[in-house]
mmCIF file of all heavy atoms in Angstrom:
data_model
loop_
_atom_site.group_PDB
_atom_site.id
_atom_site.type_symbol
_atom_site.label_atom_id
_atom_site.label_comp_id
_atom_site.label_asym_id
_atom_site.label_seq_id
_atom_site.Cartn_x
_atom_site.Cartn_y
_atom_site.Cartn_z
ATOM 1 N N LEU A 1 3.647 8.538 -2.983
ATOM 2 C CA LEU A 1 2.492 8.542 -2.093
ATOM 3 C C LEU A 1 1.838 7.163 -2.045
ATOM 4 O O LEU A 1 1.471 6.672 -0.974
ATOM 5 C CB LEU A 1 1.490 9.614 -2.539
ATOM 6 C CG LEU A 1 0.340 9.917 -1.592
ATOM 7 C CD1 LEU A 1 0.822 10.229 -0.187
ATOM 8 C CD2 LEU A 1 -0.486 11.066 -2.133
ATOM 9 N N THR A 2 1.730 6.519 -3.184
ATOM 10 C CA THR A 2 1.170 5.161 -3.230
ATOM 11 C C THR A 2 2.008 4.209 -2.386
ATOM 12 O O THR A 2 1.468 3.406 -1.616
ATOM 13 C CB THR A 2 1.092 4.663 -4.690
ATOM 14 O OG1 THR A 2 0.240 5.544 -5.423
ATOM 15 C CG2 THR A 2 0.559 3.251 -4.766
ATOM 16 N N LYS A 3 3.334 4.278 -2.512
ATOM 17 C CA LYS A 3 4.215 3.421 -1.706
ATOM 18 C C LYS A 3 4.043 3.690 -0.219
ATOM 19 O O LYS A 3 3.982 2.777 0.595
ATOM 20 C CB LYS A 3 5.680 3.652 -2.079
ATOM 21 C CG LYS A 3 6.113 3.003 -3.334
ATOM 22 C CD LYS A 3 7.596 3.256 -3.544
ATOM 23 C CE LYS A 3 8.034 2.743 -4.880
ATOM 24 N NZ LYS A 3 9.463 2.960 -5.121
ATOM 25 N N LEU A 4 3.997 4.971 0.139
ATOM 26 C CA LEU A 4 3.866 5.340 1.545
ATOM 27 C C LEU A 4 2.551 4.836 2.131
ATOM 28 O O LEU A 4 2.512 4.361 3.273
ATOM 29 C CB LEU A 4 3.980 6.852 1.706
ATOM 30 C CG LEU A 4 5.344 7.459 1.394
ATOM 31 C CD1 LEU A 4 5.252 8.979 1.340
ATOM 32 C CD2 LEU A 4 6.380 7.014 2.404
ATOM 33 N N ILE A 5 1.485 4.920 1.361
ATOM 34 C CA ILE A 5 0.176 4.429 1.825
ATOM 35 C C ILE A 5 0.209 2.911 1.974
ATOM 36 O O ILE A 5 -0.235 2.366 2.989
ATOM 37 C CB ILE A 5 -0.945 4.885 0.865
ATOM 38 C CG1 ILE A 5 -1.132 6.400 0.960
ATOM 39 C CG2 ILE A 5 -2.243 4.146 1.169
ATOM 40 C CD1 ILE A 5 -2.001 6.999 -0.138
ATOM 41 N N GLU A 6 0.759 2.206 0.977
ATOM 42 C CA GLU A 6 0.843 0.739 1.023
ATOM 43 C C GLU A 6 1.665 0.252 2.216
ATOM 44 O O GLU A 6 1.367 -0.784 2.800
ATOM 45 C CB GLU A 6 1.476 0.200 -0.260
ATOM 46 C CG GLU A 6 0.593 0.306 -1.473
ATOM 47 C CD GLU A 6 1.320 -0.030 -2.767
ATOM 48 O OE1 GLU A 6 2.565 -0.232 -2.751
ATOM 49 O OE2 GLU A 6 0.646 -0.090 -3.808
ATOM 50 N N GLN A 7 2.696 1.000 2.566
ATOM 51 C CA GLN A 7 3.594 0.601 3.659
ATOM 52 C C GLN A 7 3.147 1.151 5.030
ATOM 53 O O GLN A 7 3.854 0.991 6.018
ATOM 54 C CB GLN A 7 5.013 1.098 3.368
ATOM 55 C CG GLN A 7 5.641 0.507 2.135
ATOM 56 C CD GLN A 7 6.042 -0.944 2.334
ATOM 57 O OE1 GLN A 7 6.364 -1.362 3.435
ATOM 58 N NE2 GLN A 7 6.014 -1.708 1.265
ATOM 59 N N ASN A 8 1.977 1.798 5.088
ATOM 60 C CA ASN A 8 1.455 2.377 6.340
ATOM 61 C C ASN A 8 2.444 3.357 6.967
ATOM 62 O O ASN A 8 2.692 3.328 8.171
ATOM 63 C CB ASN A 8 1.082 1.285 7.344
ATOM 64 C CG ASN A 8 -0.077 0.462 6.867
ATOM 65 O OD1 ASN A 8 -1.031 0.984 6.300
ATOM 66 N ND2 ASN A 8 -0.001 -0.837 7.080
ATOM 67 N N CYS A 9 2.997 4.227 6.154
ATOM 68 C CA CYS A 9 4.021 5.172 6.608
ATOM 69 C C CYS A 9 3.496 6.585 6.827
ATOM 70 O O CYS A 9 4.277 7.495 7.082
ATOM 71 C CB CYS A 9 5.161 5.204 5.587
ATOM 72 S SG CYS A 9 6.092 3.671 5.510
ATOM 73 N N ILE A 10 2.187 6.773 6.717
ATOM 74 C CA ILE A 10 1.608 8.105 6.927
ATOM 75 C C ILE A 10 0.742 8.046 8.183
ATOM 76 O O ILE A 10 -0.176 7.221 8.277
ATOM 77 C CB ILE A 10 0.773 8.546 5.707
ATOM 78 C CG1 ILE A 10 1.662 8.575 4.468
ATOM 79 C CG2 ILE A 10 0.133 9.904 5.965
ATOM 80 C CD1 ILE A 10 0.919 8.761 3.182
ATOM 81 N N MET A 11 1.077 8.917 9.141
ATOM 82 C CA MET A 11 0.377 8.899 10.415
ATOM 83 C C MET A 11 -0.093 10.296 10.799
ATOM 84 O O MET A 11 0.576 11.282 10.479
ATOM 85 C CB MET A 11 1.289 8.345 11.495
ATOM 86 C CG MET A 11 1.612 6.876 11.291
ATOM 87 S SD MET A 11 2.975 6.340 12.302
ATOM 88 C CE MET A 11 4.315 7.065 11.387
ATOM 89 N N LEU A 12 -1.207 10.338 11.450
ATOM 90 C CA LEU A 12 -1.733 11.583 12.006
ATOM 91 C C LEU A 12 -1.809 11.392 13.511
ATOM 92 O O LEU A 12 -2.487 10.463 13.983
ATOM 93 C CB LEU A 12 -3.112 11.905 11.424
ATOM 94 C CG LEU A 12 -3.674 13.271 11.755
ATOM 95 C CD1 LEU A 12 -2.821 14.364 11.103
ATOM 96 C CD2 LEU A 12 -5.112 13.396 11.304
ATOM 97 N N ASN A 13 -1.088 12.214 14.245
ATOM 98 C CA ASN A 13 -1.011 12.097 15.705
ATOM 99 C C ASN A 13 -0.628 10.680 16.139
ATOM 100 O O ASN A 13 -1.237 10.081 17.014
ATOM 101 C CB ASN A 13 -2.327 12.534 16.351
ATOM 102 C CG ASN A 13 -2.683 13.957 15.997
ATOM 103 O OD1 ASN A 13 -1.814 14.815 15.903
ATOM 104 N ND2 ASN A 13 -3.960 14.211 15.777
ATOM 105 N N ASN A 14 0.381 10.126 15.461
ATOM 106 C CA ASN A 14 0.957 8.805 15.742
ATOM 107 C C ASN A 14 0.035 7.624 15.457
ATOM 108 O O ASN A 14 0.278 6.524 15.950
ATOM 109 C CB ASN A 14 1.474 8.731 17.185
ATOM 110 C CG ASN A 14 2.636 9.658 17.406
ATOM 111 O OD1 ASN A 14 3.506 9.788 16.549
ATOM 112 N ND2 ASN A 14 2.653 10.325 18.552
ATOM 113 N N CYS A 15 -1.016 7.827 14.673
ATOM 114 C CA CYS A 15 -1.897 6.735 14.256
ATOM 115 C C CYS A 15 -1.918 6.685 12.727
ATOM 116 O O CYS A 15 -2.021 7.735 12.075
ATOM 117 C CB CYS A 15 -3.319 6.949 14.764
ATOM 118 S SG CYS A 15 -3.443 6.897 16.555
ATOM 119 N N ILE A 16 -1.841 5.483 12.188
ATOM 120 C CA ILE A 16 -1.916 5.334 10.732
ATOM 121 C C ILE A 16 -3.233 5.926 10.267
ATOM 122 O O ILE A 16 -4.281 5.716 10.886
ATOM 123 C CB ILE A 16 -1.796 3.851 10.334
ATOM 124 C CG1 ILE A 16 -0.410 3.342 10.729
ATOM 125 C CG2 ILE A 16 -2.019 3.660 8.842
ATOM 126 C CD1 ILE A 16 -0.250 1.843 10.635
ATOM 127 N N VAL A 17 -3.195 6.656 9.156
ATOM 128 C CA VAL A 17 -4.361 7.415 8.732
ATOM 129 C C VAL A 17 -4.639 7.196 7.243
ATOM 130 O O VAL A 17 -3.733 6.928 6.462
ATOM 131 C CB VAL A 17 -4.151 8.917 9.046
ATOM 132 C CG1 VAL A 17 -3.048 9.499 8.203
ATOM 133 C CG2 VAL A 17 -5.410 9.709 8.895
ATOM 134 N N ASP A 18 -5.886 7.288 6.893
ATOM 135 C CA ASP A 18 -6.308 7.300 5.493
ATOM 136 C C ASP A 18 -6.102 8.729 4.996
ATOM 137 O O ASP A 18 -6.583 9.680 5.620
ATOM 138 C CB ASP A 18 -7.785 6.904 5.408
ATOM 139 C CG ASP A 18 -8.291 6.786 3.987
ATOM 140 O OD1 ASP A 18 -7.844 7.546 3.099
ATOM 141 O OD2 ASP A 18 -9.151 5.916 3.745
ATOM 142 N N THR A 19 -5.391 8.893 3.900
ATOM 143 C CA THR A 19 -5.053 10.245 3.434
ATOM 144 C C THR A 19 -6.262 11.021 2.943
ATOM 145 O O THR A 19 -6.160 12.222 2.707
ATOM 146 C CB THR A 19 -3.985 10.192 2.324
ATOM 147 O OG1 THR A 19 -4.480 9.436 1.231
ATOM 148 C CG2 THR A 19 -2.698 9.588 2.849
ATOM 149 N N ARG A 20 -7.407 10.354 2.789
ATOM 150 C CA ARG A 20 -8.634 11.059 2.395
ATOM 151 C C ARG A 20 -9.300 11.734 3.587
ATOM 152 O O ARG A 20 -10.226 12.523 3.424
ATOM 153 C CB ARG A 20 -9.610 10.099 1.725
ATOM 154 C CG ARG A 20 -9.069 9.539 0.412
ATOM 155 C CD ARG A 20 -9.924 8.426 -0.098
ATOM 156 N NE ARG A 20 -9.747 7.283 0.811
ATOM 157 C CZ ARG A 20 -10.144 6.055 0.544
ATOM 158 N NH1 ARG A 20 -10.769 5.780 -0.567
ATOM 159 N NH2 ARG A 20 -9.932 5.078 1.404
ATOM 160 N N ASN A 21 -8.804 11.428 4.787
ATOM 161 C CA ASN A 21 -9.379 12.016 6.002
ATOM 162 C C ASN A 21 -9.033 13.493 6.112
ATOM 163 O O ASN A 21 -8.018 13.951 5.600
ATOM 164 C CB ASN A 21 -8.856 11.307 7.253
ATOM 165 C CG ASN A 21 -9.392 9.902 7.394
ATOM 166 O OD1 ASN A 21 -10.218 9.456 6.600
ATOM 167 N ND2 ASN A 21 -8.898 9.188 8.377
ATOM 168 N N SER A 22 -9.877 14.200 6.851
ATOM 169 C CA SER A 22 -9.595 15.609 7.137
ATOM 170 C C SER A 22 -8.693 15.678 8.369
ATOM 171 O O SER A 22 -8.323 14.653 8.930
ATOM 172 C CB SER A 22 -10.888 16.379 7.353
ATOM 173 O OG SER A 22 -11.573 15.857 8.466
ATOM 174 N N PHE A 23 -8.371 16.865 8.798
ATOM 175 C CA PHE A 23 -7.478 17.056 9.927
ATOM 176 C C PHE A 23 -7.937 18.261 10.725
ATOM 177 O O PHE A 23 -8.746 19.053 10.268
ATOM 178 C CB PHE A 23 -6.041 17.261 9.442
ATOM 179 C CG PHE A 23 -5.911 18.374 8.445
ATOM 180 C CD1 PHE A 23 -5.699 19.674 8.851
ATOM 181 C CD2 PHE A 23 -6.044 18.126 7.082
ATOM 182 C CE1 PHE A 23 -5.598 20.704 7.932
ATOM 183 C CE2 PHE A 23 -5.946 19.144 6.156
ATOM 184 C CZ PHE A 23 -5.724 20.437 6.579
ATOM 185 N N ASP A 24 -7.412 18.393 11.929
ATOM 186 C CA ASP A 24 -7.695 19.533 12.793
ATOM 187 C C ASP A 24 -6.432 20.370 12.958
ATOM 188 O O ASP A 24 -5.316 19.874 12.773
ATOM 189 C CB ASP A 24 -8.182 19.066 14.171
ATOM 190 C CG ASP A 24 -9.556 18.417 14.098
ATOM 191 O OD1 ASP A 24 -10.412 18.921 13.353
ATOM 192 O OD2 ASP A 24 -9.765 17.394 14.788
ATOM 193 N N ILE A 25 -6.623 21.592 13.334
ATOM 194 C CA ILE A 25 -5.496 22.480 13.594
ATOM 195 C C ILE A 25 -4.656 21.885 14.721
ATOM 196 O O ILE A 25 -5.190 21.329 15.684
ATOM 197 C CB ILE A 25 -5.998 23.896 13.969
ATOM 198 C CG1 ILE A 25 -6.770 24.474 12.780
ATOM 199 C CG2 ILE A 25 -4.858 24.804 14.377
ATOM 200 C CD1 ILE A 25 -7.558 25.709 13.095
ATOM 201 N N ASN A 26 -3.346 21.972 14.587
ATOM 202 C CA ASN A 26 -2.354 21.455 15.524
ATOM 203 C C ASN A 26 -2.179 19.934 15.468
ATOM 204 O O ASN A 26 -1.417 19.375 16.263
ATOM 205 C CB ASN A 26 -2.616 21.895 16.967
ATOM 206 C CG ASN A 26 -2.469 23.387 17.133
ATOM 207 O OD1 ASN A 26 -1.624 24.008 16.487
ATOM 208 N ND2 ASN A 26 -3.294 23.977 17.972
ATOM 209 N N ASP A 27 -2.874 19.251 14.570
ATOM 210 C CA ASP A 27 -2.586 17.839 14.349
ATOM 211 C C ASP A 27 -1.172 17.723 13.786
ATOM 212 O O ASP A 27 -0.699 18.611 13.074
ATOM 213 C CB ASP A 27 -3.564 17.225 13.342
ATOM 214 C CG ASP A 27 -4.888 16.813 13.969
ATOM 215 O OD1 ASP A 27 -4.990 16.852 15.206
ATOM 216 O OD2 ASP A 27 -5.804 16.444 13.211
ATOM 217 N N ILE A 28 -0.510 16.618 14.101
ATOM 218 C CA ILE A 28 0.841 16.384 13.603
ATOM 219 C C ILE A 28 0.791 15.252 12.569
ATOM 220 O O ILE A 28 0.407 14.131 12.878
ATOM 221 C CB ILE A 28 1.815 15.984 14.733
ATOM 222 C CG1 ILE A 28 1.847 17.042 15.837
ATOM 223 C CG2 ILE A 28 3.213 15.704 14.176
ATOM 224 C CD1 ILE A 28 2.470 18.345 15.449
ATOM 225 N N LEU A 29 1.178 15.606 11.366
ATOM 226 C CA LEU A 29 1.265 14.640 10.269
ATOM 227 C C LEU A 29 2.713 14.150 10.205
ATOM 228 O O LEU A 29 3.644 14.948 10.154
ATOM 229 C CB LEU A 29 0.880 15.315 8.951
ATOM 230 C CG LEU A 29 0.945 14.466 7.690
ATOM 231 C CD1 LEU A 29 -0.062 13.332 7.752
ATOM 232 C CD2 LEU A 29 0.707 15.337 6.472
ATOM 233 N N THR A 30 2.897 12.839 10.238
ATOM 234 C CA THR A 30 4.230 12.246 10.174
ATOM 235 C C THR A 30 4.303 11.343 8.957
ATOM 236 O O THR A 30 3.413 10.520 8.731
ATOM 237 C CB THR A 30 4.535 11.418 11.444
ATOM 238 O OG1 THR A 30 4.363 12.246 12.591
ATOM 239 C CG2 THR A 30 5.945 10.850 11.414
ATOM 240 N N VAL A 31 5.358 11.507 8.179
ATOM 241 C CA VAL A 31 5.597 10.665 7.010
ATOM 242 C C VAL A 31 6.937 9.968 7.236
ATOM 243 O O VAL A 31 7.966 10.629 7.382
ATOM 244 C CB VAL A 31 5.639 11.493 5.709
ATOM 245 C CG1 VAL A 31 5.834 10.589 4.511
ATOM 246 C CG2 VAL A 31 4.385 12.338 5.563
ATOM 247 N N ARG A 32 6.910 8.631 7.314
ATOM 248 C CA ARG A 32 8.119 7.833 7.524
ATOM 249 C C ARG A 32 8.657 7.324 6.187
ATOM 250 O O ARG A 32 7.887 6.899 5.332
ATOM 251 C CB ARG A 32 7.822 6.642 8.423
ATOM 252 C CG ARG A 32 7.576 6.995 9.864
ATOM 253 C CD ARG A 32 7.467 5.765 10.782
ATOM 254 N NE ARG A 32 7.717 4.495 10.154
ATOM 255 C CZ ARG A 32 6.780 3.605 9.802
ATOM 256 N NH1 ARG A 32 5.504 3.870 10.002
ATOM 257 N NH2 ARG A 32 7.106 2.470 9.247
ATOM 258 N N PHE A 33 9.959 7.351 6.034
ATOM 259 C CA PHE A 33 10.596 6.892 4.807
ATOM 260 C C PHE A 33 11.498 5.687 5.052
ATOM 261 O O PHE A 33 12.394 5.412 4.267
ATOM 262 C CB PHE A 33 11.417 8.027 4.189
ATOM 263 C CG PHE A 33 10.581 9.181 3.749
ATOM 264 C CD1 PHE A 33 10.360 10.255 4.590
ATOM 265 C CD2 PHE A 33 9.983 9.182 2.498
ATOM 266 C CE1 PHE A 33 9.578 11.315 4.184
ATOM 267 C CE2 PHE A 33 9.195 10.239 2.089
ATOM 268 C CZ PHE A 33 8.992 11.306 2.934
ATOM 269 N N ASP A 34 11.262 4.940 6.124
ATOM 270 C CA ASP A 34 12.146 3.834 6.479
ATOM 271 C C ASP A 34 11.674 2.484 5.958
ATOM 272 O O ASP A 34 12.128 1.445 6.406
ATOM 273 C CB ASP A 34 12.333 3.780 7.993
ATOM 274 C CG ASP A 34 11.029 3.607 8.751
ATOM 275 O OD1 ASP A 34 9.953 3.659 8.127
ATOM 276 O OD2 ASP A 34 11.079 3.426 9.977
ATOM 277 N N TYR A 35 10.788 2.474 4.996
ATOM 278 C CA TYR A 35 10.317 1.216 4.442
ATOM 279 C C TYR A 35 11.403 0.605 3.537
ATOM 280 O O TYR A 35 12.161 1.314 2.895
ATOM 281 C CB TYR A 35 9.015 1.422 3.643
ATOM 282 C CG TYR A 35 9.149 2.384 2.499
ATOM 283 C CD1 TYR A 35 9.475 1.937 1.230
ATOM 284 C CD2 TYR A 35 8.963 3.751 2.676
ATOM 285 C CE1 TYR A 35 9.617 2.821 0.171
ATOM 286 C CE2 TYR A 35 9.102 4.637 1.633
ATOM 287 C CZ TYR A 35 9.432 4.166 0.385
ATOM 288 O OH TYR A 35 9.575 5.036 -0.661
ATOM 289 N N PRO A 36 11.486 -0.732 3.500
ATOM 290 C CA PRO A 36 12.508 -1.372 2.644
ATOM 291 C C PRO A 36 12.113 -1.312 1.173
ATOM 292 O O PRO A 36 10.931 -1.289 0.837
ATOM 293 C CB PRO A 36 12.533 -2.819 3.147
ATOM 294 C CG PRO A 36 11.197 -3.027 3.763
ATOM 295 C CD PRO A 36 10.740 -1.698 4.287
ATOM 296 N N GLU A 37 13.129 -1.262 0.316
ATOM 297 C CA GLU A 37 12.904 -1.276 -1.129
ATOM 298 C C GLU A 37 13.782 -2.359 -1.747
ATOM 299 O O GLU A 37 14.872 -2.641 -1.247
ATOM 300 C CB GLU A 37 13.283 0.068 -1.752
ATOM 301 C CG GLU A 37 12.387 1.203 -1.353
ATOM 302 C CD GLU A 37 12.824 2.494 -1.999
ATOM 303 O OE1 GLU A 37 13.839 3.054 -1.569
ATOM 304 O OE2 GLU A 37 12.146 2.923 -2.941
ATOM 305 N N ASP A 38 13.319 -2.925 -2.835
ATOM 306 C CA ASP A 38 14.084 -3.946 -3.533
ATOM 307 C C ASP A 38 15.142 -3.286 -4.408
ATOM 308 O O ASP A 38 14.831 -2.426 -5.223
ATOM 309 C CB ASP A 38 13.141 -4.792 -4.397
ATOM 310 C CG ASP A 38 13.872 -5.882 -5.156
ATOM 311 O OD1 ASP A 38 14.925 -6.351 -4.675
ATOM 312 O OD2 ASP A 38 13.398 -6.255 -6.235
ATOM 313 N N ASN A 39 16.385 -3.675 -4.204
ATOM 314 C CA ASN A 39 17.457 -3.182 -5.061
ATOM 315 C C ASN A 39 18.210 -4.354 -5.704
ATOM 316 O O ASN A 39 19.381 -4.243 -6.047
ATOM 317 C CB ASN A 39 18.401 -2.247 -4.294
ATOM 318 C CG ASN A 39 19.116 -2.933 -3.149
ATOM 319 O OD1 ASN A 39 19.059 -4.141 -2.987
ATOM 320 N ND2 ASN A 39 19.805 -2.164 -2.330
ATOM 321 N N ALA A 40 17.501 -5.467 -5.873
ATOM 322 C CA ALA A 40 18.108 -6.682 -6.409
ATOM 323 C C ALA A 40 18.458 -6.563 -7.893
ATOM 324 O O ALA A 40 19.155 -7.419 -8.426
ATOM 325 C CB ALA A 40 17.171 -7.870 -6.185
ATOM 326 N N ASN A 41 17.998 -5.528 -8.559
ATOM 327 C CA ASN A 41 18.297 -5.356 -9.984
ATOM 328 C C ASN A 41 19.727 -4.879 -10.222
ATOM 329 O O ASN A 41 20.182 -4.831 -11.360
ATOM 330 C CB ASN A 41 17.310 -4.382 -10.630
ATOM 331 C CG ASN A 41 17.397 -2.990 -10.033
ATOM 332 O OD1 ASN A 41 17.648 -2.838 -8.836
ATOM 333 N ND2 ASN A 41 17.169 -1.986 -10.842
ATOM 334 N N VAL A 42 20.457 -4.545 -9.154
ATOM 335 C CA VAL A 42 21.847 -4.105 -9.276
ATOM 336 C C VAL A 42 22.733 -5.138 -8.576
ATOM 337 O O VAL A 42 22.488 -5.503 -7.429
ATOM 338 C CB VAL A 42 22.052 -2.706 -8.642
ATOM 339 C CG1 VAL A 42 23.507 -2.274 -8.698
ATOM 340 C CG2 VAL A 42 21.162 -1.676 -9.320
ATOM 341 N N VAL A 43 23.766 -5.590 -9.264
ATOM 342 C CA VAL A 43 24.715 -6.551 -8.710
ATOM 343 C C VAL A 43 25.608 -5.839 -7.701
ATOM 344 O O VAL A 43 26.140 -4.763 -7.984
ATOM 345 C CB VAL A 43 25.580 -7.170 -9.836
ATOM 346 C CG1 VAL A 43 26.665 -8.060 -9.264
ATOM 347 C CG2 VAL A 43 24.714 -7.913 -10.826
#
């Protein structure tokens, strides 16, 4: 969750959102997992 927030990967109705915000019925929460990660520790 910390990574997703740092990478702006959590959206409510296609807008980046603060996860402390409330929501309305029928709102669409989208969580993207396409952020890059460092894998340089493996040859």
